[in-house]
Structures are given as C-alpha cells and as structure tokens.
Amino acid sequence: MMSNRRNVFLVASIGFVLGFMLRDQLEERKMTPEKALKLAKETFRKNWPINGSWIYAKPESIEKNGLTYETYRGGITRNIDGKNEQFGFYIDIETGAIIDLFKIDV
C-alpha cells in the first residue's frame, strides 16, 4: 500500500516538473516585442526606407481569414517626396510573419 502511494507521488512529481520545464521552453520560443519590431523593420526596409517605428509590448489576438493569431501591433513611418506616411502592422509572435499591414490616415 505504501509503495503505491510513493509511486503515485513520484509520477505526479515528475509530471509536474516536466510540465513546468516544457512551459518555460514554449515561452522562450515566443518572440519579444523588440525582436518582432527589428524583424518587421528588416522586412519593410527591403521595399522602402523607414524613418520611424513603434510596437506595443502587450500581445493581441487577431482573426484573419478564419485563423486566430497571437500578435504584436506596431507601426512604421516612411517619407516619400517629403511627406510622411504611416502604416500599422500585426506580426505573429510565433513565426515573425507579418499578418496584416494597413495605412494609417492622420
């Protein structure tokens, strides 16, 4: 009887520790806001010069084409012919893919 309790306790303890370690590893995979902004700027710079950028540090869930993504929302400013244009974007925390890009009218 005592052996069964000890085995149950041992298995439960091992499961708890493994679950805690796995959770930490999954959290480390997520992109930080700083890394997401750097990646977004690198992507946009391939097409046009950027003279400003920002990102919200709080993740947001968005739905696009029937799928839900955990994203960061950010923005960039570019200067074309002396005129600033602002664009917003959502970047996927898991993959770093730009999920949405939209012009911000000011």
Side-chain angles (χ1 to χ4, degrees):
M1 181 82 153
M2 189 66 148
S3 175
N4 286 341
R5 286 185 183 172
R6 186 175 26 186
N7 288 345
V8 169
F9 179 74
L10 181 62
V11 170
S13 297
I14 290 171
F16 178 77
V17 169
L18 289 176
F20 187 75
M21 290 170 51
L22 181 60
R23 181 191 64 128
D24 286 348
Q25 287 178 348
L26 290 175
E27 286 295 318
E28 288 176 13
R29 283 184 167 178
K30 290 185 178 180
M31 194 172 301
T32 64
E34 294 80 14
K35 186 175 179 182
L37 182 58
K38 181 180 178 186
L39 183 61
K41 287 169 41 176
E42 288 171 0
T43 301
F44 294 128
R45 277 196 182 114
K46 292 177 184 175
N47 297 310
W48 5 282
I50 296 171
N51 62 339
S53 63
W54 55 269
I55 196 158
Y56 284 116
K58 184 178 177 186
E60 298 180 24
S61 291
I62 67 163
E63 187 175 323
K64 180 97 174 174
N65 301 321
L67 299 172
T68 302
Y69 299 93
E70 188 175 3
T71 66
Y72 291 119
R73 180 167 46 118
I76 56 164
T77 305
R78 70 178 187 165
N79 190 294
I80 302 296
D81 299 325
K83 184 178 176 184
N84 282 335
E85 292 182 330
Q86 294 184 6
F87 292 85
F89 64 87
Y90 288 94
I91 187 167
D92 184 19
I93 291 175
E94 297 292 327
T95 65
I98 304 295
I99 302 299
D100 196 11
L101 176 66
F102 50 93
K103 188 169 183 180
I104 301 172
D105 294 320
V106 278

